[in-house]
Amino acid sequence: MIEFLKLLRVDFLIAFAAVLVSAPVIAAIDLRDYDNDLMRDLDKTVKYFEPDITAKNADAAKEDAQVLLDGFKYTEDYFAKKGADDAVEISRKGVKLISAVLASVDSNDFDAAASAARGAPDLCKSCHDIYKPRLAR
Ligand code: HEC
């Protein structure tokens, strides 16, 4: 019986340790060297992105795509240095998505480009949900 209780305690400790390790995801990354100017550029650009595509304005769409591509490459690099694999994964999806949009624009398939472009804000959001501090600084 005592052996059984000891086992239970070990289980409890392991479970408790797991909670401690997994809870403070946001606090785990020091963002002081993060490029928020770039983020604000992305924010502006992502708003014009789909409208530029829908208007079949290939030049503007490609300019937008380049800004967003550089943005996702920056976050991929930044979070790789911090060892945040999930953020790196999201960034890579962003690079792929924007590359796909560029390819569609190049082949004049603006419908495919627009529907791919609609996925971009979700990728921004999915990283913010994990890593962007919610409280005003
Ligand atoms: C892989 C992660 C990641 C991706 C992808 C990402 N962001 Fe961010 N973003 C962050 C983090 C982390 C912060 C908070 C930085 C801080 O608090 O210093 C942030 C902050 C911001 C801010 C606030 C900047 C400010 O003035 O404080 C804006 C706006 C923003 N992101 C827009 C975007 C847009 C638009 C995209 C997509 C096109 C995007 N972000 C993609 C991680 C990401």
Side-chain angles (χ1 to χ4, degrees):
M1 184 59 188
I2 287 184
E3 281 309 304
F4 174 70
L5 282 177
K6 273 190 193 155
L7 264 179
L8 259 186
R9 249 190 78 197
V10 169
D11 277 355
F12 176 74
L13 282 176
I14 290 172
F16 187 63
V19 169
L20 281 184
V21 170
S22 64
V25 184
I26 288 180
I29 287 196
D30 178 359
L31 291 164
R32 270 175 298 186
D33 58 345
Y34 195 70
D35 191 346
N36 273 314
D37 288 340
L38 176 79
M39 284 288 127
R40 284 189 284 270
D41 269 355
L42 294 185
D43 204 40
K44 263 183 257 156
T45 308
V46 86
K47 288 186 184 120
Y48 297 125
F49 193 35
E50 200 208 329
D52 281 341
I53 296 168
T54 317
K56 299 194 192 327
N57 188 342
D59 288 343
K62 282 195 215 177
E63 250 174 60
D64 301 339
Q66 198 53 54
V67 174
L68 296 171
L69 200 58
D70 290 346
F72 283 121
K73 282 183 183 157
Y74 168 83
T75 56
E76 179 180 352
D77 219 50
Y78 181 91
F79 288 98
K81 283 190 199 124
K82 306 273 173 175
D85 295 347
D86 43 4
V88 171
E89 185 65 33
I90 294 166
S91 307
R92 287 197 180 133
K93 279 189 195 156
V95 170
K96 264 197 207 148
L97 183 144
I98 304 297
S99 307
V101 173
L102 273 171
S104 295
V105 170
D106 273 335
S107 55
N108 273 322
D109 189 347
F110 289 95
D111 286 344
S115 79
R118 274 191 282 277
D122 288 345
L123 289 174
C124 314
K125 187 174 178 299
S126 64
C127 188
H128 293 165
D129 283 348
I130 313 173
Y131 288 105
K132 189 164 169 282
R134 265 161 215 96
L135 298 172
R137 281 164 301 148

